[in-house]
Amino acid sequence: MKPATTRTRIEGVLAPVITPFRRDLSPDPDRFVRHCRWLMRSGCSGLAVFGTNSEANSMSVEEKLELLEALVGSGVPAAALMPGTGHCALTDAVAMTREAVRMGCGGVLMLPPFYYKGVSDEGLARFFSEVIERVGDERLRLYLYHIPPVSNVPITTALIERLLDRYPGIVAGAKDSSGDWENTRTWLERFAERGFDVFPGSEVFLLAGMRAGAKGCISATANINPGAIDRVWRNWRSPEAEKLQAEITATRRIVQKVPMIPALKAVTAHFANDAEWRRVRPPLVELTADEERQVITELKAAGFSMPGL
Amino acid sequence: MKPATTRTRIEGVLAPVITPFRRDLSPDPDRFVRHCRWLMRSGCSGLAVFGTNSEANSMSVEEKLELLEALVGSGVPAAALMPGTGHCALTDAVAMTREAVRMGCGGVLMLPPFYYKGVSDEGLARFFSEVIERVGDERLRLYLYHIPPVSNVPITTALIERLLDRYPGIVAGAKDSSGDWENTRTWLERFAERGFDVFPGSEVFLLAGMRAGAKGCISATANINPGAIDRVWRNWRSPEAEKLQAEITATRRIVQKVPMIPALKAVTAHFANDAEWRRVRPPLVELTADEERQVITELKAAGFSMPGL
């Protein structure tokens, strides 16, 4: 494939959007679009729909494409979307990625195939290359999704080197959810100059990331706290930056005392006064009443709110 | 749902059938059916198609259903089939399981949803219950697939207890690929009397398993060594049993010196004189020439062959 042409890249704060489910556990496009629009109004520059926090891996290709079509149809700009399109099955990953590009999505965020463990960089390079070649579209901007605590299949620095050599411009960056700042820094040092955009996977690393050349962050808590995280992104060079960073870090610490995905849903349910948001798909379970009380109480004590929700 | 009615259960040696791929990496139904027929002629009582060794998680639901239809259409008895139907996405798991039951499969072998880690028994119980309720068919025989080294999501003894209480007869057994004999023995002691059939995930534990109440085994190497493994199953009470067991264990040890899935394919390619069999789907890679030479040389030195292939 020819080298990709230059285009505006997604930067800033992205939310891995939580997915609402109806009573029958089917995805709820109306609530989903409503939440996405609130996020875009409230500070998010983009939406990494179908991430880990979206329970994306608990949905089929068809269910995700239906939500994506509803979202693009609602007028949220496709250029601001970075849907997760990674699947264990090569053909599923290709189908998702192809549709995302066809709809004009600004990028795709791809998990490695995560069933087989201990696979080689050669095997992973073949997988990503096969997806890129089959999609065969210069508009593709592929962001690699490194989340070893969940996927148990890491994206190594050597793998990025290899893919970037082969597909410059197409291989556009990565989300680093390792929680290991040394890894993020290594990638920024090695690849930022090569048009490879690094997004830490938590706003805890946002200010440090920006100072080292990151493009923003893609973070679970951007689902509930987009405005404050966006302020750090916009003001990272200002004298206030440290203080703003300390505030969003404090909010994050409260939420991650309990299981993250049901917590984001419980907080959204509480502040939207909409119990439907609490629902998760198995194998996840909702927060207990005690857990929910704890997180809401602590957030309120810290002055947290979700204005305009 | 009402308790399941009694039916003949699958017993004996089952192969998690390797999946042949064409040059374009699409599944090859002709070679697949041919290998399945050879396995059934050569000692297998049943076929656990779409297991880990089948690269099942590298295929989409549609690709697997196409292979299953070809297999059932070829005259291999559906009652002898125990396809893998587990998926991370609830809806995919339901779709696969429903089709398998509709085609008359003797059982299904279900992985837990394996993306999210550290999930609770409550979450897994909800997942399996949801599949059972949605399929809603008394013919369903669900075997739980415990393979923590790969899935990283274990099936606990407490989870089995819970599912068996709720769906006796429907929850029909398990494949234990933990490699932990103590776990297998615990399950046999606790559940064998309750119509819960335990299959060790390796023939290395076949004789010990049969003596403790197992129903056979479901093992990778049954793809290449079905006859010898079947002899242990048929003769486990005979004075020869220890000697026969030692032979199949020795063969297994040779194969597992190199990566198992490409090894099974390389051995099949060699003995079928059909290079097409070597192909794997990414993220897996073929054996190196050295690895292949090693495994073939050692197998031949041990007198191994694949008669009638």
Side-chain angles (χ1 to χ4, degrees):
Chain A
M1 207 180 306
K2 290 181 298 177
T5 49
T6 313
R7 283 202 317 165
T8 308
R9 293 277 191 86
I10 295 175
E11 295 189 11
V13 177
L14 284 82
V17 184
I18 50 176
T19 306
F21 295 109
R22 300 190 189 98
R23 184 176 288 276
D24 68 356
L25 299 179
S26 63
D28 180 340
D30 294 342
R31 272 192 180 74
F32 176 69
V33 168
R34 215 148 60 220
H35 189 60
C36 286
R37 295 173 70 99
W38 178 78
L39 289 168
M40 292 298 284
R41 273 201 311 275
S42 306
C44 285
S45 318
L47 301 174
V49 297
F50 316 144
T52 298
N53 290 282
S54 315
E55 299 171 75
N57 295 104
S58 301
M59 292 189 279
S60 68
V61 169
E62 294 71 27
E63 290 174 314
K64 286 182 273 194
L65 290 180
E66 199 182 321
L67 288 177
L68 192 58
E69 291 199 3
L71 187 56
V72 171
S74 80
V76 168
L81 302 179
M82 193 192 284
T85 62
H87 271 263
C88 293
L90 176 65
T91 34
D92 286 338
V94 170
M96 277 296 298
T97 307
R98 186 179 281 149
E99 282 304 296
V101 172
R102 188 188 65 73
M103 291 188 213
C105 291
V108 301
L109 184 55
M110 277 196 71
L111 278 169
F114 52 82
Y115 181 67
Y116 296 101
K117 305 305 187 295
V119 294
S120 62
D121 277 356
E122 170 65 22
L124 291 174
R126 285 189 201 178
F127 185 93
F128 286 112
S129 300
E130 200 64 39
V131 172
I132 292 169
E133 298 288 344
R134 287 179 186 219
V135 171
D137 194 314
E138 287 178 30
R139 293 173 301 168
L140 173 61
R141 295 292 174 277
L142 193 153
Y143 297 81
L144 299 160
Y145 187 6
H146 179 54
I147 183 166
V150 185
S151 66
N152 295 174
V153 176
I155 305 285
T156 67
T157 302
L159 176 64
I160 296 175
E161 193 87 57
R162 195 164 167 162
L163 290 170
L164 205 45
D165 284 345
R166 187 156 176 201
Y167 301 108
I170 297 278
V171 172
K175 175 182 182 189
D176 183 1
S177 295
S178 63
D180 173 7
W181 169 247
E182 285 310 307
N183 187 69
T184 311
R185 201 170 57 174
T186 299
W187 288 2
L188 286 164
E189 281 168 8
R190 297 273 291 264
F191 305 125
E193 302 285 290
R194 298 180 62 187
F196 186 85
D197 298 342
V198 177
F199 293 83
S202 164
E203 73 274 31
V204 168
F205 302 112
L206 180 54
L207 181 56
M210 294 309 293
R211 288 173 173 168
K215 296 294 181 182
C217 71
I218 305 173
S219 176
T221 19
N223 270 289
I224 57 170
N225 200 24
I229 302 174
D230 181 56
R231 269 195 294 285
V232 175
W233 181 65
R234 293 192 185 279
N235 300 293
W236 70 272
R237 285 190 172 92
S238 92
E240 282 196 315
E242 299 276 1
K243 183 178 152 281
L244 295 172
Q245 175 67 55
E247 284 169 14
I248 62 173
T249 297
T251 301
R252 168 94 182 193
R253 300 285 185 228
I254 293 171
V255 180
Q256 67 187 20
K257 284 181 192 171
V258 295
M260 178 61 83
I261 301 170
L264 296 172
K265 291 188 139 178
V267 171
T268 303
H270 178 85
F271 285 96
N273 195 21
D274 178 0
E276 294 288 303
W277 264 112
R278 282 192 185 84
R279 201 172 285 126
V280 291
R281 251 190 188 188
L284 301 189
V285 296
E286 299 78 18
L287 293 191
T288 64
D290 279 349
E291 286 171 332
E292 177 165 335
R293 205 157 26 235
Q294 176 194 324
V295 71
I296 298 291
T297 304
E298 291 193 31
L299 283 174
K300 284 184 168 173
F304 174 87
S305 69
M306 292 174 76
L309 186 68
Chain B
M1 206 180 308
K2 289 182 297 179
T5 49
T6 312
R7 285 200 316 165
T8 308
R9 294 279 191 86
I10 295 175
E11 295 188 14
V13 177
L14 284 82
V17 183
I18 49 175
T19 306
F21 296 108
R22 302 191 188 96
R23 183 176 290 275
D24 68 357
L25 299 178
S26 63
D28 181 341
D30 293 342
R31 271 192 180 77
F32 177 69
V33 168
R34 214 147 63 220
H35 189 59
C36 287
R37 295 173 71 98
W38 177 78
L39 289 167
M40 292 298 286
R41 272 201 313 275
S42 305
C44 285
S45 318
L47 302 175
V49 297
F50 316 144
T52 298
N53 290 283
S54 314
E55 299 170 75
N57 294 104
S58 301
M59 292 190 279
S60 68
V61 169
E62 294 71 27
E63 290 174 315
K64 285 182 274 195
L65 290 180
E66 199 181 320
L67 289 176
L68 192 57
E69 290 196 4
L71 186 57
V72 171
S74 79
V76 169
L81 302 180
M82 191 192 286
T85 63
H87 272 262
C88 293
L90 175 65
T91 34
D92 286 338
V94 169
M96 278 294 300
T97 306
R98 186 178 283 149
E99 282 304 296
V101 172
R102 188 189 62 76
M103 291 188 215
C105 291
V108 300
L109 184 54
M110 277 196 71
L111 277 170
F114 53 81
Y115 181 67
Y116 297 100
K117 306 303 187 296
V119 295
S120 62
D121 277 357
E122 169 65 22
L124 292 174
R126 285 190 200 176
F127 185 93
F128 286 113
S129 300
E130 200 63 39
V131 172
I132 292 168
E133 297 290 343
R134 288 180 185 219
V135 170
D137 193 316
E138 287 180 30
R139 293 174 299 168
L140 173 61
R141 295 292 174 275
L142 193 153
Y143 297 80
L144 298 161
Y145 186 7
H146 179 54
I147 182 167
V150 185
S151 67
N152 295 174
V153 176
I155 304 284
T156 67
T157 301
L159 175 65
I160 296 174
E161 193 88 58
R162 194 164 166 161
L163 289 171
L164 206 46
D165 284 347
R166 186 153 180 203
Y167 301 108
I170 297 277
V171 173
K175 175 182 180 189
D176 183 1
S177 295
S178 64
D180 172 7
W181 170 248
E182 284 311 306
N183 187 69
T184 311
R185 200 170 57 176
T186 299
W187 288 1
L188 286 163
E189 282 169 7
R190 298 273 289 265
F191 305 124
E193 303 286 289
R194 298 180 61 186
F196 185 86
D197 298 342
V198 178
F199 294 83
S202 164
E203 73 272 32
V204 166
F205 302 112
L206 180 52
L207 182 55
M210 294 308 295
R211 287 172 175 169
K215 295 295 179 181
C217 71
I218 306 174
S219 177
T221 19
N223 270 287
I224 58 170
N225 200 25
I229 302 174
D230 180 57
R231 268 194 297 283
V232 175
W233 181 65
R234 291 189 188 282
N235 300 294
W236 70 270
R237 285 191 172 92
S238 93
E240 281 197 315
E242 299 274 0
K243 183 178 152 286
L244 294 172
Q245 175 67 54
E247 284 168 13
I248 62 173
T249 297
T251 301
R252 167 94 184 190
R253 299 287 185 224
I254 292 171
V255 181
Q256 67 187 21
K257 285 181 191 172
V258 294
M260 179 60 86
I261 301 171
L264 297 172
K265 290 187 139 178
V267 170
T268 304
H270 178 86
F271 285 95
N273 195 21
D274 178 0
E276 295 288 303
W277 263 112
R278 283 192 184 83
R279 201 172 286 126
V280 291
R281 250 191 189 187
L284 301 188
V285 295
E286 299 78 18
L287 293 191
T288 63
D290 278 352
E291 286 171 334
E292 178 165 336
R293 204 156 30 232
Q294 177 195 323
V295 71
I296 298 292
T297 305
E298 290 192 33
L299 283 174
K300 284 184 169 174
F304 174 87
S305 68
M306 291 174 75
L309 185 66

